[in-house]
């Protein structure tokens, strides 16, 4: 039950879905006009946070009697890179940066042959439990987390010195 379509159906007739833009801003807590990030954490420093997001997301699926999502390295790479793009500032949407399409980002990271894709983004939550809780309170994000169409997941997080501190991304897929 995904409510928002990002860019419509792809030319291949496959499903491409993302949480709505209004829901994507849930949890923003920085003051207006916050400065651009001064520094990004090394991706290696954020691997444990991303893993916790995956575990908490799967706990939500299990509570809803859905099978867990398998961790997929290419989706994780795409999510981590996109978290970095969001953290650089200037744009917070599913269409930011030099590769504005989620399917192109996932394919560039090596996630090929997909039949469904989805993405959750958030900023400002201080930890994995808070971001997953915020996503579960947002209908579009919750729909992605609990979609039986998805079988795989990757997560990324970028830490900054700006007002938001944490930028979170989940990429969902199925082949």
């Amino acid at each position: 039950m995904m409510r928002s379509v990002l860019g419509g159906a792809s030319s291949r007739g496959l499903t491409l879905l993302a949480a709505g833009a209004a829901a994507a801003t849930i949890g923003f807590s920085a003051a207006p006009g916050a400065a651009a990030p001064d520094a990004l954490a090394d991706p290696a420093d954020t691997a444990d946070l991303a893993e916790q997001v995956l575990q908490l997301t799967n706990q939500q699926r299990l509570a809803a009697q859905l099978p867990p999502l398998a961790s997929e390295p290419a989706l994780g790479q795409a999510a981590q890179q996109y978290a970095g793009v969001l953290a650089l500032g200037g744009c917070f949407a599913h269409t930011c940066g030099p590769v504005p399409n989620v399917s192109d980002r996932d394919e560039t990271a090596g996630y090929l042959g997909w039949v469904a894709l989805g993405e959750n983004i958030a900023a400002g939550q201080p930890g994995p439990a808070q971001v997953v809780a915020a996503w579960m309170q947002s209908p579009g994000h919750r729909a992605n987390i609990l979609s039986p169409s998805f079988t795989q997941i990757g997560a990324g997080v970028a830490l900054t010195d700006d007002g938001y501190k944490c930028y979170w991304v989940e990429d969902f897929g199925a082949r």
Side-chain angles (χ1 to χ4, degrees), residues 26-50:
I26 193 156
F28 261 47
S29 58
D38 293 326
L40 295 177
D42 183 317
D45 295 339
T46 60
D48 185 55
L49 295 173

Side-chain angles (χ1 to χ4, degrees), residues 104-117:
D104 292 339
R105 291 192 300 268
D106 289 346
E107 288 175 355
T108 298
Y111 194 72
L112 305 172
W114 57 269
V115 295
L117 290 175

Side-chain angles (χ1 to χ4, degrees), residues 70-138:
S71 179
E72 199 338 291
L75 290 175
Q77 178 183 342
Q80 184 62 47
Q81 289 173 345
Y82 198 57
V85 167
L86 295 175
L88 291 175
C91 181
F92 186 82
H94 293 281
T95 57
C96 300
V99 184
N101 187 299
V102 66
S103 64
D104 292 339
R105 291 192 300 268
D106 289 346
E107 288 175 355
T108 298
Y111 194 72
L112 305 172
W114 57 269
V115 295
L117 290 175
E119 181 174 75
N120 285 350
I121 62 174
Q125 296 81 5
Q130 293 86 356
V131 74
V132 173
W135 282 330
M136 290 302 291
Q137 294 301 309
S138 163

